[in-house]
Amino acid sequence: MGVRELSPTSPAGKWLGFVAAVWVQAISGNNYTFSNYSDALKSLMALTQLELNNLSVAKDVGKAFGILAGLASDRLPTPVILLIGSVEGFIGYGVQWLVVSQRIRPLPYWQMSIFLCMGGNSTTWMNTAILVTCMRNFRKNRGPVSGILKGYVGLSTAIFTDLCTALFSDSPSKFLLMLAIIPAVVCLGAIIFLREVPPTTTPAQEEQESKYFNVFNFVAVIIALYLLAFDTTGSHGRVLSVLFASGLLLLLASPLSVPLYSAYQNWTRSGSNSNPDVEGQVQEPLLVQESKPEPEPEQIKPEVDTTRVETGDVVETNYRKPVIGEDHTIFEAFQTLDFWILFISFLCGVGTGLAVMNNMGQMGLALGYVDVSMFVSLTSIFGFFGRIGSGSVSEYFLKKAGTPRPLWNAASQILMAVGYIVLAIALPGSLYIGSIVVGICYGVRLAVTVPTASELFGLKYYGLIYNILILNLPLGSFLFSGLLAGLLYDSQATTTADGGNTCVGAHCYRLVFVIMALACVVGFGLDVLLAIRTKSLYSKIHASKKSRKSGENQKKSIKG
């Protein structure tokens, strides 16, 4: 087995690139870890809760500049986009580390806001490079791709938190040092392997992809359970913690088995007289030349209007606007009602979820918990289950019955509303239940929206459309975390001796949870409406997948 089998354009190289993408996603969720060091910033800078929440908004505002990453994704190669993200993250989190470790004096508030913004923006470059490239490489399995990649983003919070707890005794400064160094190193490694390559063209190849994605799903679930076991078994000694960290790194390396197996399969067939297909499906040369992939409804280009205007020797052709399911520019997408339904429903889900993540430290303290790392990890791990489960489940029901993906978003919204009601009641253990429910539903919302946007508006300008939707993160953070949670918390808090403020008791966030539950009910209604409006599109996608599968089975029966 040589270098040729693992080149970026080979079948094994394609999977090696996906492994690199998984690793980048496993370290790119640093934007969700603010609760792990927010209390240190609040103390060092003598901030009120509103000021601290506005700092958390600043990191989310960084995602608003993801538009730049979206524009760049259509013009720059994947390695350049990854390089920009890695450098920006190193600077943004590096300066925060200098402050929290007290190597430098706390910077003015506006300067700290800029560096938090840089840290938040760095992830948009990483995520854009990964998602756009992988959605194009594996366009016939968008649900699993989105679920796996977004699932690892969800796990990244727990990965960082548990590694820091195991190795550095839960030190906020060392945690920030990890956030600065590790993503930069991993991105530099991914630059070597991740490339855009031609997608599969036959149902047989698509089925082979699905089998490999099952391996990635299995490994991801094992990692999630491994992290959960560490979080729920209490304190650990130094030796056990080091063993845990070593085991976690081995599990993160285990997806390499997929490209290595693929390379071995290609190598063993390299001497065969038959003409091997991309993933090992042997076909006769004439069939390979004659077979043409059928375009899926979501990839059909806008048709040319038959109306032609002749002026002298010039013939002008009028093009109609694309319909849902065809490639849209961002301005064409803006003109559709479906885009704004998706945008606002996304705001209701991710905006309220971010408010919980950003305020988890203060929510735990208000209810009498000294250490909130457990709740941060629970939200992260169950967010993973929501992401990876919804990606595969939504893909299965789309192929099986043409079920519109927005229905899964609707289900997550109503469940999230129930979670907020549980948190508002504040019974014993409600923070555990609320953390789990919010994590699952936030994960579903992210994982399902990614392929939904590509199916409604196409992949040609997907990088920019995706980043426009991600504007909901800073917008939702500002509305629900900066304004709603910050103002209502401060109205209940008392001033402390160091000039800050604090609130203890279930009343601190009760009204916040009630308002966020109502927002999720609104999101539920919008998602149901979008599912109704796009039912015909998903019926066409289902019919296309079914006909392609039937055609492949007929070819196999003829050859048999």
Side-chain angles (χ1 to χ4, degrees):
M1 185 167 63
V3 177
R4 182 174 61 86
E5 281 77 17
L6 289 172
S7 66
T9 55
S10 68
K14 179 179 179 178
W15 288 105
L16 187 58
F18 188 74
V19 172
V22 163
W23 288 343
V24 172
Q25 295 297 79
I27 51 83
S28 65
N30 41 25
N31 204 45
Y32 301 109
T33 62
F34 185 69
S35 293
N36 286 329
Y37 58 91
S38 61
D39 202 50
L41 282 177
K42 184 177 182 180
S43 176
L44 280 170
M45 300 179 68
L47 303 175
T48 66
Q49 187 61 34
L50 180 60
E51 289 171 331
L52 182 66
N53 282 10
N54 285 333
L55 270 186
S56 73
V57 171
K59 72 176 176 58
D60 293 325
V61 165
K63 290 187 176 293
F65 295 100
I67 295 175
L68 299 176
L71 290 169
S73 68
D74 294 329
R75 296 166 174 81
L76 299 176
T78 299
V80 175
I81 299 175
L82 284 171
L83 181 62
I84 294 172
S86 63
V87 171
E88 191 175 20
F90 180 78
I91 295 172
Y93 288 103
V95 170
Q96 294 178 63
W97 167 71
L98 291 173
V99 171
V100 172
S101 63
Q102 300 185 47
R103 282 169 169 76
I104 63 173
R105 296 177 60 185
L107 299 175
Y109 188 82
W110 68 271
Q111 292 183 14
M112 285 299 296
S113 297
I114 290 175
F115 287 110
L116 264 82
C117 182
M118 289 183 65
N121 182 248
S122 67
T123 62
T124 67
W125 293 87
M126 299 177 194
N127 292 339
T128 298
I130 296 305
L131 283 172
V132 171
T133 304
C134 291
M135 292 289 277
R136 289 172 176 168
N137 287 353
F138 303 97
R139 62 183 64 200
K140 303 295 174 56
N141 282 283
R142 301 183 200 188
V145 167
S146 172
I148 292 168
L149 294 179
K150 285 296 183 182
Y152 273 97
V153 173
L155 280 183
S156 65
T157 302
I159 290 171
F160 274 125
T161 301
D162 289 349
L163 279 177
C164 187
T165 301
L167 301 176
F168 308 123
S169 301
D170 206 18
S171 166
S173 63
K174 291 178 180 177
F175 182 80
L176 278 166
L177 185 61
M178 288 177 63
L179 293 184
I181 294 177
I182 294 178
V185 172
V186 174
C187 281
L188 292 176
I191 286 172
I192 301 173
F193 302 109
L194 186 60
R195 296 288 188 279
E196 189 170 327
V197 295
T200 59
T201 57
T202 69
Q205 296 169 9
E206 181 182 347
E207 185 176 349
Q208 186 69 32
E209 281 186 0
S210 298
K211 292 179 181 179
Y212 284 160
F213 283 131
N214 288 336
V215 175
F216 282 96
N217 280 328
F218 177 76
V219 171
V221 169
I222 295 299
I223 292 174
L225 294 175
Y226 186 72
L227 291 167
L228 186 61
F230 182 78
D231 289 334
T232 56
T233 51
S235 58
H236 307 85
R238 177 66 180 173
V239 174
L240 191 59
S241 295
V242 171
L243 289 175
F244 159 79
S246 301
L248 179 58
L249 294 176
L250 286 174
L251 285 173
L252 289 171
S254 62
L256 279 172
S257 60
V258 171
L260 291 177
Y261 175 76
S262 178
Y264 174 75
Q265 291 285 84
N266 293 330
W267 178 67
T268 56
R269 291 193 305 269
S270 61
S272 174
N273 293 328
S274 56
N275 192 13
D277 198 6
V278 175
E279 290 294 345
Q281 302 296 328
V282 179
Q283 297 182 356
E284 297 178 20
L286 287 177
L287 290 177
V288 175
Q289 293 172 4
E290 293 175 359
S291 62
K292 296 181 180 180
E294 300 178 17
E296 291 188 276
E298 68 270 29
Q299 294 302 309
I300 298 174
K301 296 181 179 180
E303 297 176 358
V304 178
D305 196 324
T306 55
T307 303
R308 304 203 309 169
V309 181
E310 297 190 14
T311 306
D313 296 329
V314 180
V315 178
E316 297 179 3
T317 306
N318 296 324
Y319 288 87
R320 64 168 175 81
K321 291 182 180 179
V323 298
I324 291 300
E326 298 173 347
D327 286 321
H328 287 62
T329 66
I330 188 60
F331 298 108
E332 290 168 341
F334 281 168
Q335 296 173 38
T336 66
L337 178 60
D338 300 284
F339 178 86
W340 294 109
I341 294 175
L342 183 63
F343 186 90
I344 296 172
S345 68
F346 193 43
L347 173 64
C348 295
V350 299
T352 58
L354 271 176
V356 173
M357 295 178 190
N358 290 340
N359 290 272
M360 186 62 76
Q362 285 65 45
M363 288 176 181
L365 293 174
L367 294 177
Y369 296 97
V370 177
D371 182 13
V372 298
S373 61
M374 162 72 78
F375 304 112
V376 175
S377 291
L378 282 176
T379 303
S380 172
I381 292 169
F382 281 92
F384 156 79
F385 285 119
R387 296 172 199 227
I388 201 166
S390 62
S392 297
V393 169
S394 66
E395 189 73 24
Y396 172 80
F397 280 96
L398 172 57
K399 292 179 179 179
K400 191 77 174 176
T403 305
R405 287 196 208 269
L407 278 181
W408 302 101
N409 279 336
S412 72
Q413 294 274 38
I414 204 67
L415 183 59
M416 186 177 270
V418 173
Y420 290 141
I421 296 300
V422 171
L423 287 169
I425 295 173
L427 294 174
S430 62
L431 195 56
Y432 288 93
I433 298 172
S435 299
I436 292 170
V437 170
V438 171
I440 290 173
C441 296
Y442 184 85
V444 171
R445 180 81 246 191
L446 281 175
V448 172
T449 301
V450 168
T452 299
S454 74
E455 286 157 351
L456 266 58
F457 308 111
L459 284 169
K460 187 174 182 179
Y461 305 101
Y462 178 69
L464 184 55
I465 290 173
Y466 166 76
N467 278 284
I468 293 293
L469 287 172
I470 291 300
L471 285 176
N472 278 298
L473 295 180
L475 180 59
S477 180
F478 171 72
L479 292 175
F480 293 103
S481 182
L483 288 182
L484 181 67
L487 288 173
L488 292 182
Y489 178 95
D490 282 344
S491 69
Q492 302 290 333
T494 57
T495 304
T496 59
D498 60 2
N501 65 0
T502 188
C503 180
V504 177
H507 64 285
C508 299
Y509 284 98
R510 179 167 290 131
L511 184 56
V512 175
F513 292 133
V514 171
I515 294 174
M516 292 197 302
L518 293 174
C520 286
V521 171
V522 173
F524 166 77
L526 291 172
D527 285 321
V528 170
L529 176 61
L530 186 60
I532 294 172
R533 289 177 58 85
T534 58
K535 184 172 177 29
S536 61
L537 168 65
Y538 283 100
S539 295
K540 291 178 182 177
I541 296 174
H542 168 64
S544 174
K545 291 177 181 289
K546 190 174 180 179
S547 66
R548 292 176 68 252
K549 181 71 173 177
S550 176
E552 182 70 14
N553 289 336
Q554 289 178 4
K555 287 182 181 179
K556 287 182 179 179
S557 63
I558 292 173
K559 290 168 64 178

